[in-house]
Amino acid sequence: MNKIICLESVDSTNAYLRRSADELPHGTVVLADAQTAGRGRLGRSFASFAGKGIYLSVLLRPDCDPVRCASLTPAAAVAVCRAVKRICGVEPEIKWVNDLFLGGKKICGILCESEVSEGKLSYVVVGIGLNVSERREDFPPELRETAGSLYTETGTAPERGRLALAIVEELEKLYALWLSDESACLADYRRLCRVPGKRVRIITPSGETEALAEGISDDFGLCVLYDNGERKTLHSGEISIRI
């Protein structure tokens, strides 16, 4: 990573990089103290509190098939887990495919967005939002039972700059491995994923169904067994999972 842009406030770090991608080099990192319109998967909002969390995005330009970039989301999840363990001494779990949990509470979301032109990948933006020093009362009432932070789950909050640097370093290491082997973090992802072995609700535009999550496939899909005996491998663009 070779360029760091620090902002006091922005709509979202992902949106900033997407707007500026043509002028910025590979490896550019954008850090914001606050986001006014943080986003998650499937158009959901991501609560971002000024001075409380880590909101960063990284611009990458891998020379690969656009389809392959789906595996950057799990790679980023593993990178954040490694950084948190390194700095805080605790290891989050991953809820397939892109959320990190600690003590049963969601503390981090990851959103990867790409631009494809004439069938070729132009860039990928990897966005990471990590709750660091939020207290329970900082979250809206509807999120207090499900959302947490490093502070609420451990009683202490690390210095945000130090943790942000660790996240960028771990992501850089995994990205270098991913370029030659997209399954480089597969074993760690399987170990950290909290979903296999649990019954899940699978939400699609056509409705909801339940299934048993059996494991993670070699391409980071979720292998499920439906009650009628059918087995299927789900991929992140298809569904939303509730445990």
Side-chain angles (χ1 to χ4, degrees), residues 45-153:
S45 62
F46 182 87
S48 307
F49 304 97
K52 299 280 189 177
I54 291 173
Y55 316 116
L56 71 82
S57 296
V58 182
L59 178 67
L60 302 174
R61 301 186 188 278
D63 182 14
C64 68
D65 187 318
V67 175
R68 188 178 175 216
C69 288
S71 59
L72 273 175
T73 298
V78 171
V80 177
C81 288
R82 290 179 179 179
V84 170
K85 184 176 181 180
R86 180 173 129 197
I87 301 299
C88 306
V90 294
E91 190 172 49
E93 296 179 311
I94 299 169
K95 177 189 170 188
W96 188 86
V97 60
N98 65 324
D99 293 334
L100 270 57
F101 277 66
L102 192 63
K105 301 291 183 69
K106 178 180 173 179
I107 64 165
C108 179
I110 296 167
L111 178 64
C112 291
E113 299 180 290
S114 60
E115 180 73 21
V116 178
S117 177
E118 297 180 351
K120 294 189 66 176
L121 183 67
S122 300
Y123 63 80
V124 182
V125 173
V126 179
I128 296 165
L130 174 63
N131 298 334
V132 178
S133 61
E134 291 89 344
R135 297 173 181 269
R136 187 175 187 274
E137 57 268 25
D138 289 328
F139 296 104
E142 65 272 17
L143 295 180
R144 288 175 186 168
E145 299 306 313
T146 57
S149 69
L150 291 171
Y151 176 80
T152 63
E153 303 314 303

Side-chain angles (χ1 to χ4, degrees), residues 3 39-40 47 73 77 117 146 150 165 180 207 231 242:
K3 181 181 179 70
R39 294 176 297 114
T73 298
S117 177
T146 57
L150 291 171
L165 178 60
S180 58
R231 283 187 165 87
R242 290 182 185 171

